[in-house]
Amino acid sequence: MFYTSTRDNSIKLTASQAILKGLSDDGGLFVPSEFPKLSKSLKEISELDYKETAYIVMKDFLNDFTEDELKSCIEKAYDSKFDTEEIAPLTEAEGVYYLELFHGKTIAFKDMALSILPHLMTTAAKKNNSDKEIVILTATSGDTGKAAMAGFADVPGTRIIVFYPKGGVSKVQELQMLTRRGKNVKVVGVKGNFDDCQSKVKELFSDVSLKEEMAKKGFAFSSANSINIGRLVPQIVYYVYAYAKLLKEERIKDGDKINVCVPTGNFGNILAAFYAKQMGLPINKLICASNDNKVLFDFFKSGTYDKNREFILTDSPSMDILISSNLERLIYLCEGLDDKKNKALMDSLKTTGKYSLNSEFSKIKDEFVGEYASWDDCKKKIHDLYEDTGYVIDTHTAVAAASYDKYVKETNDKTVTVIASTASPFKFSRSVMKAIDSKYENEEDFKLIDILSKAANVEIPEAVKEIQTLPVIHDTVVEVKDMITAVKESMNL
Ligand SMILES: *Cc1c(COP(=O)(O)O)cnc(C)c1O
């Protein structure tokens, strides 16, 4: 087992090399040459805790890490940074299981992978005798930025630069980033949207002269975005864990299939569920939920991916994306690992903003269903679920929950379903409270956090408490074209 590029099959890297590099020089993404099968039965896994499950799932993907190395990374990642020993608890509401992925340090699902990525990366650097300082370049739609900074802050041998769309994230998300301390962290607002940030970051990764200049000074780039395989692999774990938990609690029988419904942006989280299925996890449908930026919904209907449309700022900002990078990994698989064909499609996306699949599309349609939910749908879902059960979900999870309701209405599918709950409602308290009652329209943000805490009967998470007192220490805002200058300045190039 090795890692190759979706755009050049002659590339052959070990797992640790792929994690260090982040993105392939040809602009492609690293993919495993094969999918290992789960090495224990689901029955056996149902007796394991989160960390033990993580080891079983990850060891065959990260096959050049020793047992000690991987176990040590897992131990350091999934500790008391999480506010529950379960790490990823399942909550049942109205017969659906919400897989709560927001119990980490920055209260969004990005913590699930970004708690371990810095450890995987520094271990990978040691294994490969790399003496370069790793420069993590990251584009964020709101949650990756803070989670990556929390993971990499003051980690020796690394520094991190985060670009976020100025005006395109929630107040709490922005404050979380701008108050982040750490000698090696830098946050830069960009006058553009997430796609602008992500495309420019990918361009910088492929900038040969910049990389040469950096190498001379002892620096090398890597990525903390979900294009890094070191983020994708840890995300497979919680789908296996959720299934095992349902089995243990006798909500399903061994071998029963489940549906998984995921609020989707960059297609990383749902791709991890698809990878879990390739490992043998019994999954029926993967329901891909979009907000009003419904490129993926249209893609799953028609087989044509077309980003030529207005970019809409929504109440689920972490999903405001028109170029879902990780879809490339799925396309590559369904195209029969044809790197030339895949490269042609991605070139077409770059030049014309779209591409179409032909016969291969039927394979994808068997596995995935696209749904979408407008803000009106989401508001109603947040409101009704709260009224009926007292359970409060965030705006992203609401996109998934409302999309799932549509799916059930259309298909009458009764399969047990897990919805990926990707953020704490406290991160989006303004939108959430407005959905619960329009009378909260004009309250100020921190007041709404108190009201939410009482309404949901949940204590205010530490991540939200701390930003109320921490000083803002980052204030750089640049044009898209000046992102390169910000990067160079941070390394004194
Ligand atoms: C990042 C994010 C998503 C989208 O996940 P992808 O892996 O990019 O599809 C959904 N919800 C929240 C809260 C997020 O932070």
Side-chain angles (χ1 to χ4, degrees):
M1 143 87 134
F2 57 91
Y3 286 83
T4 188
S5 163
T6 50
R7 300 189 196 177
D8 181 357
N9 283 352
S10 71
I11 287 182
K12 222 172 167 171
L13 297 183
T14 62
S16 64
Q17 288 167 338
I19 289 173
L20 272 183
K21 258 188 102 69
L23 187 69
S24 187
D25 289 334
D26 48 65
L29 308 187
F30 294 121
V31 281
S33 60
E34 60 189 277
F35 286 97
K37 294 287 168 210
L38 285 168
S39 59
K40 277 190 192 296
S41 73
L42 288 160
K43 192 106 207 139
E44 286 168 310
I45 294 175
S46 72
E47 299 302 323
L48 305 181
D49 67 13
Y50 193 87
K51 288 188 236 183
E52 291 163 336
T53 308
Y55 178 70
I56 294 300
V57 172
M58 291 170 66
K59 72 180 171 60
D60 295 322
F61 278 105
L62 307 183
N63 57 346
D64 71 325
F65 285 68
T66 65
E67 178 170 346
D68 279 352
E69 284 169 345
L70 184 54
K71 283 191 169 162
S72 151
C73 291
I74 290 171
E75 281 299 325
K76 286 185 214 150
Y78 303 110
D79 60 7
S80 59
K81 287 193 283 303
F82 286 77
D83 67 12
T84 158
E85 263 178 43
E86 277 222 65
I87 308 295
L90 272 180
T91 298
E92 197 248 40
E94 295 182 325
V96 181
Y97 296 91
Y98 289 85
L99 177 59
E100 296 184 355
L101 303 173
F102 54 78
H103 289 273
K105 237 187 145 91
T106 74
I107 58 176
F109 99 93
K110 304 297 194 293
D111 290 323
M112 301 304 296
L114 284 165
S115 301
I116 193 166
L117 183 67
H119 303 295
L120 296 176
M121 217 174 252
T122 47
T123 308
K126 267 192 221 122
K127 293 182 80 65
N128 290 281
N129 299 316
S130 166
D131 54 2
K132 295 239 162 45
E133 182 161 344
I134 304 168
V135 180
I136 306 289
L137 212 54
T138 291
T140 183
S141 56
D143 290 328
T144 292
K146 174 69 177 191
M149 284 191 279
F152 282 98
D154 298 323
V155 173
T158 70
R159 54 179 80 187
I160 170 160
I161 309 169
V162 170
F163 292 104
Y164 75 97
K166 185 78 191 165
V169 301
S170 85
K171 168 112 183 207
V172 170
Q173 285 179 314
E174 183 168 38
L175 272 177
Q176 277 191 313
M177 290 190 277
L178 299 186
T179 56
R180 178 67 226 191
R181 289 152 200 271
K183 285 195 282 297
N184 61 340
V185 307
K186 184 178 170 104
V187 188
V188 180
V190 176
K191 293 181 194 160
N193 61 39
F194 172 73
D195 286 333
D196 298 327
C197 297
Q198 173 160 265
S199 298
K200 182 54 95 182
V201 162
K202 279 191 179 171
E203 208 178 293
L204 294 175
F205 272 118
S206 318
D207 184 330
V208 178
S209 74
L210 175 62
K211 277 196 282 198
E212 277 172 7
E213 211 178 325
M214 286 171 58
K216 271 190 229 140
K217 293 266 177 99
F219 294 109
F221 276 142
S222 191
S223 165
N225 280 98
S226 54
I227 51 178
N228 193 317
I229 197 76
R231 250 194 68 184
L232 212 45
V233 171
Q235 290 177 184
I236 303 171
V237 174
Y238 45 77
Y239 291 109
V240 175
Y241 181 74
Y243 187 98
K245 187 84 184 294
L246 289 172
L247 192 57
K248 189 182 169 89
E249 292 179 354
E250 298 182 352
R251 316 264 183 173
I252 53 173
K253 290 197 293 296
D254 200 3
D256 280 357
K257 287 189 175 179
I258 61 167
N259 291 331
V260 173
C261 179
V262 185
T264 297
N266 224 358
F267 209 73
N269 200 0
I270 195 163
L271 185 73
F274 178 72
Y275 277 16
K277 184 172 181 181
Q278 306 309 301
M279 294 186 86
L281 196 69
I283 291 180
N284 175 38
K285 289 290 181 199
L286 292 149
I287 304 163
C288 174
S290 298
N291 66 19
D292 281 317
N293 293 295
K294 56 186 183 57
V295 198
L296 287 166
F297 169 79
D298 295 337
F299 169 71
F300 285 118
K301 282 268 172 303
S302 66
T304 294
Y305 193 93
D306 185 355
K307 76 160 185 89
N308 300 309
R309 62 183 74 205
E310 189 195 346
F311 187 104
I312 301 168
L313 291 175
T314 73
D315 287 81
S316 41
S318 304
M319 298 161 66
D320 290 345
I321 294 175
L322 293 179
I323 307 172
S324 300
S325 290
N326 278 292
L327 188 64
E328 178 170 347
R329 288 185 161 115
L330 179 68
I331 304 287
Y332 171 79
L333 258 185
C334 293
E335 293 278 355
L337 315 184
D338 188 335
D339 54 346
K340 306 275 173 325
K341 204 161 168 193
N342 180 63
K343 184 171 181 326
L345 292 176
M346 295 307 140
D347 286 345
S348 161
L349 181 64
K350 184 144 194 181
T351 50
T352 69
K354 60 179 178 180
Y355 61 80
S356 293
L357 297 186
N358 301 318
S359 51
E360 311 77 19
F361 183 54
S362 61
K363 283 186 228 158
I364 291 182
K365 279 203 78 135
D366 288 344
E367 309 266 356
F368 288 85
V369 186
E371 290 286 355
Y372 90 99
S374 68
W375 175 229
D376 276 345
D377 299 329
C378 294
K379 264 199 304 213
K380 185 167 181 337
K381 184 70 203 183
I382 293 171
H383 175 270
D384 292 355
L385 188 63
Y386 173 67
E387 287 294 318
D388 295 345
T389 67
Y391 188 54
V392 181
I393 54 175
D394 99 288
T395 52
H396 302 74
T397 309
V399 171
S403 294
Y404 174 66
D405 288 349
K406 285 190 186 175
Y407 169 76
V408 172
K409 229 184 193 154
E410 286 161 16
T411 60
N412 205 22
D413 182 357
K414 301 251 172 28
T415 308
V416 169
T417 296
V418 169
I419 291 180
S421 180
T422 50
S424 156
F426 284 97
K427 220 164 173 172
F428 305 94
S429 52
R430 166 162 299 281
S431 306
V432 168
M433 289 316 296
K434 254 174 19 191
I436 288 177
D437 195 327
S438 58
K439 76 179 184 210
Y440 296 121
E441 192 87 36
N442 298 317
E443 289 287 359
E444 63 97 359
D445 282 80
F446 287 115
K447 181 87 189 295
L448 285 172
I449 287 167
D450 289 332
I451 299 173
L452 171 58
S453 170
K454 290 199 186 77
N457 197 18
V458 176
E459 226 185 285
I460 300 174
E462 197 46 49
V464 173
K465 272 193 213 150
E466 70 177 20
I467 58 168
Q468 304 200 37
T469 50
L470 288 177
V472 169
I473 48 181
H474 304 272
D475 59 3
T476 313
V477 179
V478 301
E479 304 281 347
V480 178
K481 67 173 171 42
D482 296 326
M483 286 167 63
I484 184 164
T485 316
V487 170
K488 284 186 171 185
E489 270 172 12
S490 79
M491 290 177 277
N492 296 320
L493 295 184

